[in-house]
Amino acid sequence: MNLKITCCLGLLALVTGCATHNENIAFSDDAEIRAAAAATSAVVPSAQKKLERADELKIEQVIFSYLLERHFWDLADYSAVFLAADDAQVATLMAKFPAHNPPIKQSYHASLVSHQTPVDKDTNKPAMILSAEVGEPNADDSVDALGRWYAGDAVAGFRAFNLKKVAGDWQIANVK
């Protein structure tokens, strides 16, 4: 009988202990947790400098100009170069390079299929796509960027750029 009483008292102590121990579990969707997280993120200022959109566009123009002056397309019969840029940027570069061979065309002329060479809809021939990816300013106010070309998985590459602003204009400081 003592064993039964001891077991019952032990079980009662366990249940009572669990019942009196009041542990609140915080869930990430609780309003208090969301408010605390928002307050914490609002207090911490961003140490990262931001590049203005106008500067980003200027850097992209410099990179596209550099890539268009190279001849990645000489070994194949490409009929167009497309730029991963908005129509205004493409129009600006078309005006800057009016006799470019192959011609620079707006993106609506491109036929794109994943992992295949882009095709110029006007000629049904292969085409090349150029793109520019601009990073945020470095500690020395220079900017790192990538200039890429793509004409299918077998014909793709990039150049890494470091640019600096000189007298209000972005200039390439280094190309790798």
Side-chain angles (χ1 to χ4, degrees):
M1 191 72 156
N2 258 345
L3 183 60
K4 285 186 181 179
I5 293 174
T6 306
C7 285
C8 286
L9 288 175
L11 187 58
L12 184 61
L14 279 173
V15 171
T16 306
C18 290
T20 58
H21 182 54
N22 190 8
E23 181 180 333
N24 290 332
I25 299 173
F27 293 97
S28 62
D29 62 344
D30 287 345
E32 293 173 357
I33 300 298
R34 285 194 311 256
T40 302
S41 66
V43 173
V44 178
S46 174
Q48 183 75 16
K49 297 177 189 178
K50 292 289 182 182
L51 190 64
E52 292 183 21
R53 180 67 181 145
D55 282 328
E56 187 176 336
L57 291 172
K58 288 177 184 177
I59 291 170
E60 288 176 358
Q61 291 291 329
V62 170
I63 292 170
F64 284 133
S65 294
Y66 177 92
L67 293 175
L68 287 166
E69 291 168 353
R70 302 306 173 264
H71 295 275
F72 305 110
W73 36 80
D74 281 351
L75 299 177
D77 189 23
Y78 296 106
S79 69
V81 174
F82 298 106
L83 307 176
D86 63 32
D87 290 345
Q89 276 186 295
V90 175
T92 300
L93 287 161
M94 289 170 73
K96 183 175 179 181
F97 297 95
H100 194 274
N101 189 15
I104 303 165
K105 293 187 177 182
Q106 294 285 359
S107 61
Y108 63 86
H109 293 278
S111 175
L112 305 174
V113 177
S114 183
H115 301 289
Q116 292 185 10
T117 301
V119 174
D120 177 2
K121 288 180 185 177
D122 298 334
T123 63
N124 237 11
K125 289 185 176 183
M128 183 166 287
I129 299 173
L130 304 179
S131 65
E133 298 171 29
V134 181
E136 295 299 331
N138 298 317
D140 65 353
D141 291 328
S142 68
V143 173
D144 294 323
L146 288 178
R148 298 182 185 273
W149 60 91
Y150 178 81
D153 289 343
V155 184
F158 71 92
R159 293 280 188 266
F161 296 87
N162 180 266
L163 298 100
K164 293 186 179 191
K165 202 170 197 177
V166 178
D169 290 327
W170 286 97
Q171 295 180 0
I172 297 171
N174 193 352
V175 179
K176 295 178 185 172

